[in-house]
Amino acid sequence: MAEENQKETEEKVESQVESKAESTESEAAEAETTEESKEEQKEPSLEEKYAALEKENADLKDQLLRRAADFDNYRKRMMKEKQDTYDYANANLLGDLLESLDNFDRTLEAAANATEVGPVVDGIKMISSNLVKMLETKYNLVGYGASGEDFNPDEHEAIGRVEEDVEKETLKQVYLKGYKLKDKVIRHAKVMVSVPKA
């Protein structure tokens, strides 16, 4: 029995030694794995950093060039649109004036064969009336300046003055009508002004 107990004890000791050896081996393997992972987690080398920065720099340059090209194309497109707007801004007005020009041509043809002046004058008055009406309704062009109105230096250009029995400066005579486009004066009326006697 003593032999059996001794065998059992030896077997236990051997198994403990083996298990310790195995645990030591696994610890060593874990330590190697940990060292490898630490090496992998180390900071990149200078060459790697340099390569990464060069790539980032190239990407930024490419983005900059693309943005510059986009902006240049946008600027050119805006300049073309602005020039087109400027070149064709009066196209509608000129199209509307063509009808009046046609009417003047017809009036001139009729005047060449006319025996009386009255119908020709009536035709010219009608053309003038239609032209003024079209400019007022479609383009907000308003004529102003009539005898007896108050003188306004912002709207009238005095080309002469006469002292008379008036309380304030008024328009005695209008030589050339003034015109406003909406609220802006585009041509001052040329007038003779009556001023109070001194």
Side-chain angles (χ1 to χ4, degrees), residues 21-140:
E22 285 175 6
S23 66
T24 306
E25 285 176 12
S26 67
E27 284 175 8
E30 282 179 23
E32 283 178 24
T33 308
T34 307
E35 284 178 25
E36 286 174 6
S37 65
K38 281 181 184 176
E39 284 178 14
E40 288 174 6
Q41 292 176 357
K42 281 184 186 176
E43 288 188 25
S45 67
L46 288 177
E47 290 83 13
E48 291 171 340
K49 285 182 180 179
Y50 182 75
L53 288 173
E54 272 190 334
K55 184 181 182 314
E56 185 180 352
N57 188 23
D59 290 345
L60 290 172
K61 279 183 182 176
D62 184 54
Q63 287 179 13
L64 179 66
L65 289 173
R66 287 177 192 271
R67 295 266 167 91
D70 287 346
F71 179 74
D72 191 46
N73 290 338
Y74 171 78
R75 186 182 55 79
K76 287 177 183 175
R77 190 172 58 248
M78 288 297 106
M79 285 176 60
K80 185 181 182 321
E81 287 178 12
K82 182 179 178 183
Q83 188 62 42
D84 286 349
T85 301
Y86 178 77
D87 289 344
Y88 301 107
N90 297 323
N92 291 337
L93 171 62
L94 295 173
D96 290 335
L97 289 175
L98 292 177
E99 184 179 344
S100 296
L101 287 175
D102 293 339
N103 288 336
F104 275 119
D105 288 341
R106 289 187 203 103
T107 303
L108 289 173
E109 288 174 14
N113 301 326
T115 54
E116 292 184 26
V117 178
V120 174
V121 171
D122 290 341
I124 292 172
K125 284 181 181 176
M126 186 177 71
I127 294 169
S128 175
S129 173
N130 288 341
L131 181 60
V132 168
K133 186 176 181 182
M134 181 269 295
L135 291 172
E136 286 178 348
T137 55
K138 277 187 106 171
Y139 298 97
N140 298 313

Side-chain angles (χ1 to χ4, degrees), residues 144 151-160 188-193:
Y144 68 90
F151 174 72
N152 180 349
D154 294 331
E155 296 179 353
H156 305 109
E157 181 182 336
I159 58 174
H188 291 79
K190 298 188 184 316
V191 296
M192 176 70 72
V193 182

